[in-house]
Structure formats: C-alpha cells, structure tokens
Amino acid sequence: MCLAVPGRVLDIEERDGTRMATVDFGGVVKEVCLEYLPDLQVGEYAIVHVGFALQRLDEESARQTLELFAELGLLQEEFGDPWETAAAEAAGSEPVEEVRK
C-alpha cells in the first residue's frame, strides 16, 4: 500500500534544476521532490506521496497523523526494510520491528 505521509522539511537544495528536500517522517528520512510546492520552506510540513510533496500541512495535524500511522503499523509497512519483510514472509513470521512492538 502506498500512503500519503506527512513529513517535516529538514533542508532544501536544487539538483539539476529541480527543488529537492530532505524530509523527516517521524524518524525516517527520505529525499522528496518539491516541484508541486515551490514555496515550501525548511521547518514546514507537507503531505508526501511517492516522493512528491503534494500539500502543505500544519505541525499538529502532521504529528497526529504520524502517531496514528505508527499505532496502526503503517509506517513500518510504508518505510520498513523490504528485504527484511520479504525474508520474514518467506519464513512465515513477522518482520523483527513488528515483533518487538
């Protein structure tokens, strides 16, 4: 499943004419394209889907959404290690991170 996940912009740079940001998704950091939100600034939150920031979001809404996703295990599903997940599924068990919860 692909989710639109809120994240906080840590830094912004231009790469080959494209605005890119390093974004923190509750502890998971990924690179995100900002072309759909050209005025997004460091410290702001945005909804991100498949590597593109799509909509600005206030901090409280972002935090609530991240907490809910974490409770439901959706962040692990979205950002978990695919090799670990595949190995666990092949062995008939849950990924290590999910077992620890």
Side-chain angles (χ1 to χ4, degrees), residues 47-76:
I47 296 290
V48 177
H49 181 64
V50 294
F52 290 87
L54 301 177
Q55 181 178 352
R56 184 176 277 105
L57 187 65
D58 66 274
E59 182 176 358
E60 183 59 27
S61 295
R63 289 185 190 279
Q64 288 176 355
T65 302
L66 285 170
E67 287 173 12
L68 178 60
F69 283 2
E71 284 177 29
L72 297 172
L74 296 175
L75 289 179
Q76 175 62 28

Side-chain angles (χ1 to χ4, degrees), residues 6-35:
R8 182 176 180 266
V9 176
L10 299 176
D11 65 42
I12 298 172
E13 64 181 55
E14 189 170 315
R15 289 193 212 138
D16 300 321
T18 302
R19 275 186 98 221
M20 298 293 292
T22 303
V23 178
D24 178 10
F25 299 95
V28 176
V29 177
K30 300 279 186 178
E31 295 299 309
V32 171
C33 179
L34 298 182
E35 290 299 301

